[in-house]
Amino acid sequence: MIINAIFFYLFAGVCVASAVMVVTARNPVHSVLFLILAFVNAAGLFVLLGAEFLAMILIVVYVGAVAVLFLFVVMMLDVDFAELRQGFLNYLPVGALVGAVLLAELLLIVGGWAIAPGTGHTAAAPANVSNTQALGLVLYTRYVYFFEAAGIILLVAMIGAIVMALQHKPGVRRQNIAEQVARRRESAIEIVNVKPGQGLP
C-alpha cells in the first residue's frame, strides 16, 4: 500500500511538472518532449489504476503517433513563433476566462470527492471480465454513436489539415497529368538539322 502511494505521488508529481513545462517552455521542441514525458507518467497512473489497456493505448497512440507528429511538424515547418506571440495580449482575456472556467470545474470535482468520496464512482465492471473486454462492451454498446461521431470528426480534421498544408508555391515544378497526356509529337520533339562542323546554338 505504501509502495502504491509512493509510485502514485511520483507519477502524478512528474506528470503535473511536465505539463507545466509544456506551457512555460520557450522552445517548442522542448514543449513536445515534456508532453511525451507527461503522457508516459499518465500511462503509469493508468497502470496503477489497473487500466493496462488504456496505458498501452496512451503510449502507442499519443506518444508514438501524436507527440512524434507534433515534433516533426515543429521541426520541419518554418513556423515564425515570434509572429505568433505578437497577438498574445489580444487573446489574453479570452484565455484567462477559459482558464478560470477550467479551474472552477477542477475545484468542483475535487470538492465533490472531498465531501462525498463515492459520488464520482461509476458502476463496477462485470465479474470475470478483463479490463479491455469491459471497455469494449461499454464503448461499442452504450457509447457506440459517440464513438462513431468522434471517428467522423477526426476524419474531417485530418482532411482539413491535409488541405491546409497543401500549398501550391509559385516557381515549384509539379506534375500535370492532363498536360502530359495531351502532348503531341509536334510540341514534344524538335528536329534540328545540324551541319557538319557546327554545334547546337
Side-chain angles (χ1 to χ4, degrees), residues 110-129:
V110 173
W113 284 345
I115 296 173
T119 303
H121 290 180
T122 58
N128 300 325
V129 174

Side-chain angles (χ1 to χ4, degrees), residues 11-23:
F11 287 137
V14 176
C15 185
V16 172
S18 57
V20 172
M21 291 302 298
V22 169
V23 181

Side-chain angles (χ1 to χ4, degrees), residues 92-102:
L92 185 60
V94 179
L97 178 62
V98 173
V101 171
L102 292 176

Side-chain angles (χ1 to χ4, degrees), residues 9 11 20 38 45 50 59 89-90 97 99 114 146 150 154 166 194 198:
Y9 287 114
F11 287 137
V20 172
L45 292 175
I59 293 295
L89 295 178
N90 297 331
L97 178 62
F146 298 101
L154 290 175
L166 186 62
V194 182
Q198 297 180 358

